[in-house]
Amino acid sequence: MMDIFICEDHPQEAAEYAAIIKGELKTAKDKGRLTYTSADAESLMAYLERHPVKRGLYFLDICIQGSMNGIQLAVKIREMDPLGSIVFITSKSEMSFLTFQYQVEAMDFIVKDQIEELPGRIRRCIHKAAVKYQEAGVLEGKRQFCIKTGGSSHYLEPGDILYIQTSRTAPHKVEICLSNGIESLYGTLKEFESALSDHPSFFRCHQSVLVNREYIRRIEQKEKAIVMENGERLPVSVRYMKKIKLH
């Protein structure tokens, strides 16, 4: 799923951008997630060094406090995420020429003073970057898979999924445990199992759980449980215990 970032040193404006992004993602969760908001370039760079991202979407203010401005930050981001999408939001429209001088290939250059246009421009950038991200996933050896449920298409990367289980709180939903959080989507476990049939790392360990063997730390046969790398314990049905032994 596409990661979205904000770097803005004015708290009120950062909150406004975050609200617009979250509002867009609420109606189209498959487009991405707001991963990290920063007030300076240094903390965003530190995050990206700890959590490398591919094809992220970055909303950057040009005039930010610290050792780097938004343009210089974009150059660093390009080194770490060459195919990411960069959008500049600034009050100084005359600085747009710097994006060409530094060759950062910005997706858009949004002027803060154009308040009426701001939400629509941000939403269009999210849509455009999400399409780019999804198409790239298909081209890269079908690294992503697509599941269509409830009239929506959801694009997920199998390598990010620890396990999928039927929701314990909402009917007709599944909970997808990812390496960086949990997502809840409409659908059945059977639908997701079918969509992941080409990925041998996934197998059913329980009537309500589909697990990725790449994240299994150990199998406790006596307790009929699987312990995942993140410490979580998942149940194993007797009928599936033999299947686990075979792998």
Side-chain angles (χ1 to χ4, degrees):
M1 183 171 287
M2 181 178 69
D3 293 285
I4 302 175
F5 301 88
I6 297 171
C7 187
E8 168 61 65
D9 59 359
H10 289 85
Q12 186 175 350
E13 292 175 352
E16 181 183 351
Y17 307 154
I20 295 169
I21 293 168
K22 288 177 180 178
E24 175 67 11
L25 300 181
K26 190 174 182 180
T27 58
K29 293 181 179 179
D30 57 308
K31 285 185 177 180
R33 55 181 164 238
L34 180 56
T35 303
Y36 189 74
T37 299
S38 169
D40 58 80
E42 291 78 10
S43 59
L44 178 53
M45 289 303 300
Y47 180 91
L48 293 174
E49 286 170 0
R50 294 193 307 269
H51 310 282
V53 169
K54 289 184 178 180
R55 294 187 175 84
L57 172 58
Y58 306 86
F59 290 96
L60 310 178
D61 183 12
I62 291 182
C63 299
I64 48 177
Q65 297 179 358
S67 61
M68 284 185 282
N69 61 34
I71 300 287
Q72 293 165 326
L73 171 60
V75 173
K76 294 291 184 182
I77 289 172
R78 273 279 170 260
E79 294 173 0
M80 302 178 74
D81 185 7
L83 299 178
S85 300
I86 294 173
V87 178
F88 291 108
I89 304 180
T90 183
S91 57
K92 297 186 177 182
S93 58
E94 66 273 13
M95 297 186 74
S96 61
F97 77 94
L98 290 174
T99 63
F100 299 100
Q101 182 178 331
Y102 283 84
Q103 298 181 335
V104 292
E105 297 180 20
M107 173 180 280
D108 201 354
F109 192 97
I110 303 173
V111 180
K112 292 181 180 181
D113 297 339
Q114 298 171 346
I115 299 173
E116 292 182 357
E117 291 186 13
L118 187 69
R121 295 276 288 274
I122 289 176
R123 286 194 290 267
R124 283 195 291 275
C125 287
I126 293 172
H127 175 73
K128 187 176 179 180
V131 170
K132 175 183 169 183
Y133 181 91
Q134 292 161 4
E135 289 177 347
V138 173
L139 291 173
E140 289 183 355
K142 297 185 178 179
R143 190 163 51 91
Q144 290 185 328
F145 76 97
C146 175
I147 176 93
K148 296 183 179 180
T149 59
S152 299
S153 296
H154 305 282
Y155 293 84
L156 298 168
E157 293 185 16
D160 288 343
I161 301 171
L162 280 69
Y163 63 86
I164 304 173
Q165 66 179 3
T166 53
S167 175
R168 292 162 288 188
T169 58
H172 314 300
K173 275 192 169 186
V174 298
E175 294 173 350
I176 302 174
C177 179
L178 301 162
S179 53
N180 60 353
I182 294 177
E183 294 215 13
S184 182
L185 298 176
Y186 282 102
T188 66
L189 198 65
K190 187 175 181 180
E191 288 176 314
F192 282 84
E193 184 177 25
S194 176
L196 286 162
S197 60
D198 291 335
H199 299 273
S201 294
F202 290 85
F203 67 95
R204 184 84 72 103
C205 68
H206 188 272
Q207 184 178 358
S208 61
V209 183
L210 188 65
V211 67
N212 184 348
R213 73 180 75 255
E214 300 297 329
Y215 289 95
I216 294 176
R217 181 185 296 172
R218 66 178 182 273
I219 299 170
E220 299 178 344
Q221 296 187 21
K222 262 188 182 179
E223 291 77 8
K224 295 183 175 58
I226 287 174
V227 179
M228 305 299 287
E229 285 186 359
N230 64 356
E232 288 192 68
R233 295 169 64 87
L234 303 176
V236 181
S237 299
V238 174
R239 62 178 292 197
Y240 292 110
M241 186 60 76
K242 289 183 179 179
K243 183 177 181 180
I244 294 175
K245 290 179 182 178
L246 292 174
H247 296 282

